[in-house]
Amino acid sequence: MPELPEAEVTASQLRARLVGAVIADIRLGRDDIVREGLSSLRWFPGSVLRAVERRGKSVVMDLQKDDEHRYLVAELGMTGLLLFPAARVRFPQHTHAVITFQDPARPPLRYWNPRRFGRLSLLDGPGLDRYLARRFGCDPLTVTRQALARLLRCRRRLKPLLMHQQAIAGIGNIYANEILFRAGLHPNVIAGRLTSGAVDRLHDVMQSILREAIRCGGSSVKDYFAPDGSEGHYKEHHLVYAKAGLPCPNRCGAIIRRLQSERSSFYCPRCQSRRRAS
DNA sequence: AGCTCTTCCTGAAAGC
DNA sequence: TGCTTTCAGGAAGAGC
């Protein structure tokens, strides 16, 4: 399930291998994988890939032809991957797009997404601006402590807020659980009730976990692979995600719990008590 | 505004 | 064994 670290690793591999490449063709396995801009598909052949960036959990490819820039945005959703041919997948029928390049030395790029949560968008400059403005809040890696504190000044529950892409773009369920555990904060504490010490902890932990996860190549839970087929090994550093019933890694004596009512929150009832947060 | 619920979708795993 | 059901998950939209 690609979140910020996995999208970052994906974007950096594409950048390293594809910047400067000229697109020969974009072939779609199914039209409904394109959320927006399907009619502009024929513009892309002949364009040069100038840059690859991550925004939130998405990968944005900047393409240029003559003086015009257009953008291919790949939302990875839950199961979406961008892959070079060396990366083999178990269900090849779920390859929904293939981008080929004029230089035969450049490996074609596949967009593979079995569950199809996540789409491709083909956008022009203003379209990209609208897309980013509508969907993505601040970036967790660059947000300042002060900006984060402002964002938390509300009555919403902390974990859903951390995962709300229009507020902070890039954190999903796995990293939200890990961040809250290491910050010692209950998933359902009201964000506006955090002390300034708790906000500091949250800011530090959020950035250090995400950076460490990027260094590890992301978390390969189920079917995540980087474009070259390599697995991320941050999963080995997970402390609470999918560890319900195991003893708290802080050795506090409590057992990791899973909250039933919502999308699986894993937490230590002792180290992440609501009292500690406020 | 901010919840919850539903929809999308497929493979894995659990239940019978 | 073999079928059916449930679940997982991100995001968007409906409804309260």
Side-chain angles (χ1 to χ4, degrees), chain A residues 63-74:
Chain A
L63 298 138
Q64 184 186 13
K65 193 158 75 175
D66 304 321
D67 286 332
E68 191 183 357
H69 286 258
R70 294 198 189 185
Y71 303 87
L72 193 158
V73 181

Side-chain angles (χ1 to χ4, degrees), chain A residues 235-246:
Chain A
K235 188 186 172 186
E236 294 148 34
H237 302 265
H238 291 179
L239 296 178
V240 289
Y241 178 76
K243 297 193 189 290
L246 296 176

Side-chain angles (χ1 to χ4, degrees), chain A residues 203-216:
Chain A
H203 184 258
D204 288 353
V205 162
M206 174 176 82
Q207 298 200 339
S208 62
I209 285 185
L210 295 174
R211 292 207 176 100
E212 177 64 13
I214 292 167
R215 273 195 293 278
C216 291

Side-chain angles (χ1 to χ4, degrees), chain A residues 86-127:
Chain A
R88 297 285 163 93
V89 291
R90 276 188 295 167
F91 304 97
Q93 69 271 28
H94 299 307
T95 299
H96 303 309
V98 181
I99 303 173
T100 52
F101 299 94
Q102 285 183 3
D103 178 355
R106 305 274 193 181
L109 186 62
R110 288 179 288 159
Y111 178 74
W112 180 81
N113 196 348
R115 280 178 221 178
R116 306 211 295 279
F117 289 11
R119 294 282 186 275
L120 302 175
S121 294
L122 306 167
L123 304 166
D124 57 12

Side-chain angles (χ1 to χ4, degrees), chain A residues 87-245:
Chain A
R88 297 285 163 93
V89 291
R90 276 188 295 167
F91 304 97
Q93 69 271 28
H94 299 307
T95 299
H96 303 309
V98 181
I99 303 173
T100 52
F101 299 94
Q102 285 183 3
D103 178 355
R106 305 274 193 181
L109 186 62
R110 288 179 288 159
Y111 178 74
W112 180 81
N113 196 348
R115 280 178 221 178
R116 306 211 295 279
F117 289 11
R119 294 282 186 275
L120 302 175
S121 294
L122 306 167
L123 304 166
D124 57 12
L128 180 71
D129 292 342
R130 276 196 306 275
Y131 179 95
L132 296 177
R134 192 170 58 230
R135 285 161 185 270
F136 298 135
C138 62
D139 193 272
L141 288 181
T142 55
V143 67
T144 62
R145 199 209 72 88
Q146 291 80 1
L148 181 67
R150 268 198 304 280
L151 217 128
L152 294 169
R153 228 171 274 147
C154 68
R155 310 176 74 136
R156 303 175 61 172
R157 292 178 301 147
L158 185 55
K159 181 163 174 267
L161 179 61
L162 279 184
M163 292 171 62
H164 187 62
Q165 303 301 300
Q166 281 125 294
I168 310 172
I171 298 171
N173 197 36
I174 294 175
Y175 292 101
N177 279 305
E178 295 298 317
I179 289 166
L180 291 172
F181 175 75
R182 284 218 244 160
L185 298 171
H186 191 284
N188 286 339
V189 72
I190 300 302
R193 294 205 189 131
L194 298 189
T195 61
S196 72
V199 174
D200 285 351
R201 260 191 343 264
L202 182 64
H203 184 258
D204 288 353
V205 162
M206 174 176 82
Q207 298 200 339
S208 62
I209 285 185
L210 295 174
R211 292 207 176 100
E212 177 64 13
I214 292 167
R215 273 195 293 278
C216 291
S219 301
S220 285
V221 174
K222 297 211 172 166
D223 279 324
Y224 170 77
F225 299 97
D228 64 4
S230 62
E231 290 191 31
H233 50 275
Y234 190 74
K235 188 186 172 186
E236 294 148 34
H237 302 265
H238 291 179
L239 296 178
V240 289
Y241 178 76
K243 297 193 189 290

